[in-house]
Amino acid sequence: MIAAFGGWNDACQAATDTVRHLLDVYESREIGHICCDSYYDYQSSRPMLCNVQGHRRIVWPETTFYEVTAEPETTFYVAMGPEPNFHWSDFCQRVLRFADECDVTNIITLGSMFADCTHTRALPLSHTCGDDDDASDDSYCGPIGIPTVLNYQAAEDGFEAESLWASVPQYLGGDECPAGTLRLLNELSALMDFALEDGDLAASAEKWRLQADMLVRCNDDLSDYVHHLEHLMDEHGEPDASDVPVPHAKQLVEETEEFLRSFDHPAAPED
């Protein structure tokens, strides 16, 4: 079972877009869901009013499970929904009970985070196994999200549990990151020992990089920041955030979002 949750754990939607991609390229069917009332604060995860086949209806936040058929003999399950606000331990146990009912033995959680990395290099990816204290990123101490809690509980309950996290450049916050989605998909392929179809993700990732290149060329502050990151990565590997001068980080992100919106929707020419 592959699980991804929107919100804090899902920078630029790279994690949940991985699940959406799998649902788009393979035959799938909804097989269950976890109802919302006990787990969500509707002021932070608001219901949506939608038109469904000509009828207006309220769509409540919930976690949905799908069975995905990649080949006649290759079936797996995915779970996706907003990160719950309440009762995380109970929520994770419900996910694991559902996995057990489907005879799942392996659970892979996906996440994406903003980091001091650049679009000009391969996006960093973290891979941990269950509650393994010898993982490469075991120096981290700080807040965690529902993928980490689910991963640990899965390992404690006897599942083979692994977690994949892609890093996304913080200066490109607010937009989708197909390069991060492709990075997660490729690592999933390796873990599952199955070549998952990437569809148009490679082309979308290249377009994303070209847009970011244009943004960097048009913003001297951002260009200096990216070149500094590249220098640190070339010399020392992934940089420590404390080593990177980002005096105008919020401003750079806001300018990035405004630029990308204008790139996708260019202004009409003046008469």
Side-chain angles (χ1 to χ4, degrees):
M1 178 178 285
I2 301 162
F5 301 92
W8 185 79
N9 324 272
D10 191 27
C12 290
Q13 303 179 88
T16 51
D17 277 351
T18 304
V19 171
R20 292 187 186 95
H21 172 80
L22 294 173
L23 297 176
D24 286 342
V25 299
Y26 294 116
E27 180 182 346
S28 63
R29 65 185 184 95
E30 182 179 329
I31 57 174
H33 60 270
I34 295 178
C35 294
C36 52
D37 286 349
S38 300
Y39 302 110
Y40 292 104
D41 173 0
Y42 295 142
Q43 290 184 327
S44 59
S45 297
R46 290 189 177 274
M48 302 292 290
L49 184 62
C50 302
N51 282 309
V52 180
Q53 295 181 340
H55 299 281
R56 291 167 67 82
R57 57 172 292 192
I58 295 175
V59 178
W60 298 89
E62 63 183 16
T63 295
T64 306
F65 300 89
Y66 301 86
E67 181 184 70
V68 180
T69 303
E71 289 183 349
E73 297 180 355
T74 303
T75 299
F76 56 91
Y77 300 91
V78 299
M80 182 173 64
E83 181 180 57
N85 302 101
F86 310 115
H87 309 304
W88 280 17
S89 181
D90 178 70
F91 175 85
C92 289
Q93 286 304 318
R94 291 191 62 177
V95 173
L96 296 177
R97 283 198 298 271
F98 194 91
D100 191 53
E101 292 171 1
C102 294
D103 296 324
V104 167
T105 57
N106 296 60
I107 291 180
I108 303 172
T109 57
L110 306 180
S112 54
M113 66 188 119
F114 290 117
D116 290 305
C117 58
T118 76
H119 71 281
T120 58
R121 301 287 190 271
L123 298 183
L125 188 135
S126 170
H127 174 197
T128 59
C129 300
D131 57 357
D132 183 6
D133 290 333
D134 294 325
S136 60
D137 62 348
D138 64 347
S139 61
Y140 175 76
C141 294
I144 58 174
I146 197 70
T148 304
V149 177
L150 177 59
N151 191 253
Y152 270 65
Q153 289 201 14
E156 291 175 354
D157 285 4
F159 292 89
E160 293 291 330
E162 298 181 86
S163 183
L164 302 177
W165 284 78
S167 294
V168 174
Q170 64 175 350
Y171 57 88
L172 296 177
D175 200 48
E176 291 186 354
C177 182
T181 298
L182 183 60
R183 189 84 164 88
L184 288 169
L185 186 74
N186 288 340
E187 190 67 16
L188 271 177
S189 293
L191 283 181
M192 297 170 63
D193 195 24
F194 179 81
L196 295 167
E197 295 182 18
D198 59 13
D200 60 358
L201 267 181
S204 297
E206 182 60 22
K207 179 181 178 182
W208 173 83
R209 290 191 177 92
L210 291 174
Q211 290 181 341
D213 284 343
M214 182 179 296
L215 174 67
V216 170
R217 289 196 298 269
C218 296
N219 187 313
D220 292 339
D221 287 341
L222 183 54
S223 179
D224 291 342
Y225 171 53
V226 170
H227 290 326
H228 189 91
L229 283 176
E230 290 174 333
H231 177 72
L232 289 177
M233 296 179 74
D234 291 341
E235 282 198 345
H236 308 294
E238 295 180 26
D240 188 300
S242 62
D243 294 333
V244 183
V246 199
H248 308 296
K250 182 177 180 180
Q251 179 183 351
L252 289 175
V253 170
E254 291 174 350
E255 291 178 359
T256 299
E257 294 174 352
E258 182 179 354
F259 177 85
L260 291 176
R261 283 194 295 267
S262 67
F263 185 86
D264 289 332
H265 304 286
E270 296 181 359
D271 293 336

